[in-house]
Structure formats: structure tokens, C-alpha cells
Amino acid sequence: MMSALVRPFRSQRGFSLAELLVVSAVLGVMMAGLLVIQNGGTSAYLIGSSRVAAQQNGRVALEMMVRELRSAQSISAVTGSTAITFVDENGVTIQYQYSSGILNRIVAGTSTPLIGGVTSINFTCYSVFNNPIGTITTTTTPASVVAIRIQLTTGSEVSVASYAQANQHATMESWVRLRNL
């Protein structure tokens, strides 16, 4: 009776060592290919999300500065190319100042960080701004400012290595013609 149960198993052959090695090698190549595809997808996501974050931070800050400067009553001070002080339409003194990677908005002496991850900002003031005929004259005298060019470069607010793929930067520029002067 025991021989009747064992007989079907003896007639079946297993896999040889060579066949197992070939299957293992094929599976290894397939897994390596899947790993490369997965790493590429992860890298693309990381680059894209870092770029979007840098652009969005810069866009929000630039739009706010442009809106407030456009309706300014007067320019109070132009301190270098990284800070500007003005009086808004309500008579409140506002200053934008770059310091250690942070763009600060100072209202009536109270400083509030606007955005972090700022690589550089440059305010260029103009006393003559007639773009169609190409006449543009820079100035540092607050009373003669009629237009301002803002150049803003932002990066990730999270500290990343300079060689990392997540180290993305966005450079934006906008021109502001002062309306209330």
C-alpha cells in the first residue's frame, strides 16, 4: 500500500541546479530593471515638487510686493539693492528687507518673515522709465523713483545639499510702475 502512494512522486522530476540558476538570474535582471524605473520615478517626483515649491514661494512674495508697491504713496528709503521702504495707500510704513535667506516684511516696526529659501533679491529703482523709446535711468534718491524692478531668486526652504536633485531654484522678475506718485 505504501508503494502505491510513493509511486506517483517518484515518476516526477524536479528542476536541475542549472535551471534554478537561470531562473534566478532572469528574476534578478527583472528586479534590477524595476528598481531603476522606481528610482527614476522617485527622482522625477523629488525634482518636480522642489521646483514647484520654489516657484510658488517666489510667486506669492513677488505678487504681494508688486501689489503693495504699485499703490504706494511714496518711497521712503532705498537702502542698497536688498531693501526698500515705502508708505502705502493707508499711510502705513512698509519695508521689505532680505536677511540670511529670509525675505522680511516690516510693517510699522514689526517684522514678519514673508518667505524663506530666498537666494537673492534685487530692487532696482528708476527715475526715468520710458520703455518704448528705451530711456531708462536708475536712481537711489527715494523722491525721484517712478518705477522699480524686482528680481527674486528662491530655492527650497528645507536645507539640502548643493549637489542634490532637490536643490532647485526659481528666478522671477517683475516691473512696478508706481501709480500714486
Side-chain angles (χ1 to χ4, degrees):
M1 186 159 182
M2 181 63 103
S3 65
L5 291 175
V6 174
R7 197 173 302 149
F9 293 111
R10 284 188 183 172
S11 64
Q12 293 182 359
R13 293 187 49 192
F15 296 108
S16 68
L17 181 60
E19 291 171 331
L20 288 174
L21 288 175
V22 169
V23 169
S24 295
V26 169
L27 283 175
V29 169
M30 287 175 52
M31 292 304 288
L34 287 174
L35 182 65
V36 167
I37 291 171
Q38 175 65 29
N39 281 343
T42 303
S43 176
Y45 171 76
L46 184 63
I47 291 170
S49 66
S50 297
R51 186 174 295 149
V52 165
Q55 288 174 345
Q56 187 63 25
N57 281 343
R59 188 177 302 119
V60 168
L62 194 60
E63 286 176 3
M64 183 177 189
M65 288 187 290
V66 166
R67 185 177 62 247
E68 287 185 343
L69 281 167
R70 189 172 284 136
S71 61
Q73 288 181 355
S74 65
I75 303 296
S76 304
V78 180
T79 39
S81 63
T82 60
I84 191 164
T85 307
F86 60 96
V87 177
D88 75 353
E89 59 203 11
N90 300 318
V92 178
T93 301
I94 299 174
Q95 179 182 22
Y96 287 106
Q97 182 180 35
Y98 170 70
S99 175
S100 302
I102 298 174
L103 179 61
N104 294 303
R105 181 177 183 264
I106 304 167
V107 179
T110 304
S111 179
T112 306
L114 187 58
I115 61 168
V118 176
T119 306
S120 68
I121 189 165
N122 187 19
F123 295 101
T124 308
C125 299
Y126 299 93
S127 59
V128 176
F129 184 76
N130 192 344
N131 207 11
I133 62 172
T135 306
I136 298 173
T137 306
T138 60
T139 185
T140 56
T141 307
S144 62
V145 174
V146 296
I148 301 169
R149 182 176 75 175
I150 306 168
Q151 295 170 308
L152 178 65
T153 303
T154 60
S156 174
E157 289 189 55
V158 180
S159 179
V160 293
S162 61
Y163 58 83
Q165 293 177 340
N167 187 18
Q168 297 291 313
H169 296 281
T171 302
M172 293 166 222
E173 179 177 311
S174 187
W175 290 79
V176 181
R177 245 198 156 130
L178 306 177
R179 293 181 182 166
N180 296 330
L181 296 180

